[in-house]
Amino acid sequence: ANDTGKKLDKENAYSAAYQTFQQGHYDKARSKFQKFLENFPNSEYSDNAQFWIGECYFFEEKYEEAILEYDKVTKNYPNGNKVPYALLKQGLAFNKIGDKTSAKLLLQQVIKNYPNTSQARIARSSLQEIK
């Protein structure tokens, strides 16, 4: 019976963090996602939680921190469904700090590895804007 409780805890913890994020409380949301990862490092939500930590930094315009957190998505959860999102956002974050070379490489990687996805489409139009 304990497993069911654990599962609920996990889902509740993730939902609570995500709700906080959606309300725009990025600082609080980030703490909740970090706590979630401490408690559930290998759950089906872990790659998502890691991605949202990057997003919290991105929306706070802390792009260097965001880049490091997005990188953990691809390194720690290479088979997760958030990898193309993380690569895309990492590329956009590099562009924000003026590192166009890294931005281009990441956006090209998204197009190459995840063709026909909405991430690839966004990457393609973002690439055209980087001069």
Side-chain angles (χ1 to χ4, degrees):
N2 198 5
D3 279 357
T4 321
K6 262 215 171 105
K7 190 173 174 352
L8 268 177
D9 284 351
K10 181 174 64 185
E11 288 177 5
N12 289 340
Y14 181 79
S15 309
Y18 187 61
Q19 253 174 331
T20 307
F21 173 80
Q22 285 187 307
Q23 289 158 357
H25 306 303
Y26 301 122
D27 205 30
K28 265 198 199 130
R30 190 170 59 243
S31 307
K32 287 186 182 179
F33 282 123
Q34 282 162 338
K35 203 165 166 50
F36 177 87
L37 283 177
E38 282 164 31
N39 294 332
F40 309 101
N42 295 307
S43 83
E44 65 273 35
Y45 301 116
S46 300
D47 59 331
N48 288 34
Q50 180 58 59
F51 175 76
W52 296 120
I53 292 171
E55 291 286 82
C56 287
Y57 279 124
F58 190 93
F59 286 109
E60 290 175 319
E61 300 183 12
K62 295 177 178 166
Y63 300 116
E64 284 93 345
E65 288 94 333
I67 287 164
L68 294 172
E69 299 299 334
Y70 291 137
D71 199 46
K72 289 180 195 170
V73 178
T74 53
K75 297 265 190 300
N76 300 349
Y77 310 100
N79 303 317
N81 66 346
K82 279 284 182 255
V83 172
Y85 295 89
L87 290 170
L88 173 65
K89 291 302 296 267
Q90 216 181 346
L92 298 179
F94 269 118
N95 191 37
K96 293 270 192 196
I97 59 171
D99 183 343
K100 294 185 168 148
T101 309
S102 301
K104 284 179 184 170
L105 284 170
L106 282 153
L107 295 172
Q108 284 159 352
Q109 195 182 336
V110 175
I111 295 165
K112 198 179 96 190
N113 296 354
Y114 303 94
N116 310 318
T117 61
S118 57
Q119 289 75 44
R121 277 200 298 279
I122 297 166
R124 206 168 276 120
S125 63
S126 304
L127 264 178
Q128 287 164 351
E129 288 163 25
I130 300 174
K131 293 287 175 273

